[in-house]
Amino acid sequence: DVKVTQSSRYLVKRTGEKVFLECVQDMDHENMFWYRQDPGLGLRLIYFSYDVKMKEKGDIPEGYSVSREKKERFSLILESASTNQTSMYLCASSERDTQYFGPGTRLTVL
Amino acid sequence: AQSVTQPDIHITVSEGASLELRCNYSYGATPYLFWYVQSPGQGLQLLLKYFSGDTLVQGIKGFEAEFKRSQSSFNLRKPSVHWSDAAEYFCAVAPMEYGNKLVFGAGTILRVKS
């Protein structure tokens, strides 16, 4: 079974802090994705990566950056957290056409 | 731009009753189509997917979905709902030429009453 893990289930940070969300997959997948999930909006793609050190912007990249130094790990970075970034963050990985999701990190920015 | 519409934000059904969740997409060609389920506090689990071929696809947990090209729809069905099916359901499409970037609908929350 594909396993995608995220470093924290719940996280509380203060406005202006730098926040790191980590995602690790164990299936040697090429592709990894970061989404945020908000009620009534579904999942929206923030960034994705097709290979190590490669990244592409998704639909809502503003205020976020990513890092992929190793194939199995994809990090989402909030350089200066703001209250409007309070949300559920979901990581996914895929080899071909099917994405497999982690359990999510619920981030609250105070 | 591609879009996915799930017209029902909430649906309530009685345990044992049949279920149909609607999904319509806007895209020029036939994309790849997916249904995911999210239980409270959990990540998304793949229920089923359609790429090509038979337009009726079977998934896990007794779910099925039917692709109708003429209606640009991919509705999810289950003949008899169980209380454990209460969750949020997401329809998603992946336009084939964009690799596997997914576009999600807003989700439908299913409540099951006993």
Side-chain angles (χ1 to χ4, degrees):
Chain A
D1 275 356
V2 175
K3 192 165 178 73
V4 180
T5 58
Q6 296 183 229
S7 51
S8 305
R9 293 299 303 273
Y10 299 94
L11 210 52
V12 179
K13 296 293 182 180
R14 298 209 173 272
T15 301
E17 281 192 79
K18 190 169 186 175
V19 181
F20 292 86
L21 302 182
E22 304 285 338
C23 175
V24 177
Q25 51 97 0
D26 68 355
M27 285 301 293
D28 202 36
H29 284 170
E30 299 287 339
N31 310 315
M32 297 188 75
F33 306 80
W34 275 107
Y35 296 88
R36 67 176 280 174
Q37 181 183 9
D38 300 289
L41 296 178
L43 278 73
R44 294 177 291 167
L45 182 64
I46 305 171
Y47 267 97
F48 60 102
S49 170
Y50 285 137
D51 202 350
V52 174
K53 296 192 186 295
M54 298 191 68
K55 61 186 179 185
E56 289 195 34
K57 294 179 180 179
D59 300 316
I60 53 164
E62 295 78 19
Y64 304 95
S65 62
V66 290
S67 172
R68 191 156 180 213
E69 297 296 319
K70 293 184 177 181
K71 191 175 186 179
E72 68 271 17
R73 189 179 298 270
F74 191 35
S75 302
L76 180 70
I77 304 156
L78 287 66
E79 294 289 343
S80 178
S82 64
T83 56
N84 63 11
Q85 292 177 309
T86 291
S87 186
M88 171 74 98
Y89 291 87
L90 291 163
C91 174
S93 74
S94 75
E95 185 60 40
R96 293 182 180 174
D97 301 298
T98 301
Q99 292 187 22
Y100 298 91
F101 285 82
T105 296
R106 186 164 294 282
L107 172 66
T108 301
V109 182
L110 302 176
Chain B
Q2 307 84 28
S3 66
V4 179
T5 302
Q6 294 181 244
D8 304 303
I9 299 173
H10 297 97
I11 281 186
T12 301
V13 298
S14 298
E15 192 168 15
S18 64
L19 171 70
E20 182 170 32
L21 301 182
R22 296 181 290 164
C23 173
N24 293 94
Y25 64 89
S26 171
Y27 183 61
T30 299
Y32 296 159
L33 297 157
F34 305 81
W35 274 100
Y36 285 86
V37 60
Q38 185 180 35
S39 298
Q42 303 298 313
L44 273 67
Q45 181 182 20
L46 180 68
L47 281 176
L48 47 78
K49 58 189 177 184
Y50 173 79
F51 292 166
S52 65
D54 192 346
T55 56
L56 185 64
V57 293
Q58 303 296 320
I60 62 171
K61 305 186 181 190
F63 285 91
E64 66 178 26
E66 185 173 13
F67 167 60
K68 292 186 177 180
R69 185 191 310 273
S70 61
Q71 299 176 18
S72 296
S73 69
F74 189 55
N75 294 348
L76 182 71
R77 300 195 294 248
K78 186 170 185 177
S80 177
V81 168
H82 188 262
W83 63 266
S84 61
D85 293 324
E88 189 162 16
Y89 291 80
F90 292 95
C91 180
V93 304
M96 284 183 280
E97 68 266 28
Y98 297 140
N100 58 357
K101 285 176 60 177
L102 288 176
V103 176
F104 283 85
T108 298
I109 297 172
L110 172 65
R111 298 190 179 109
V112 180
K113 58 181 181 180
S114 56

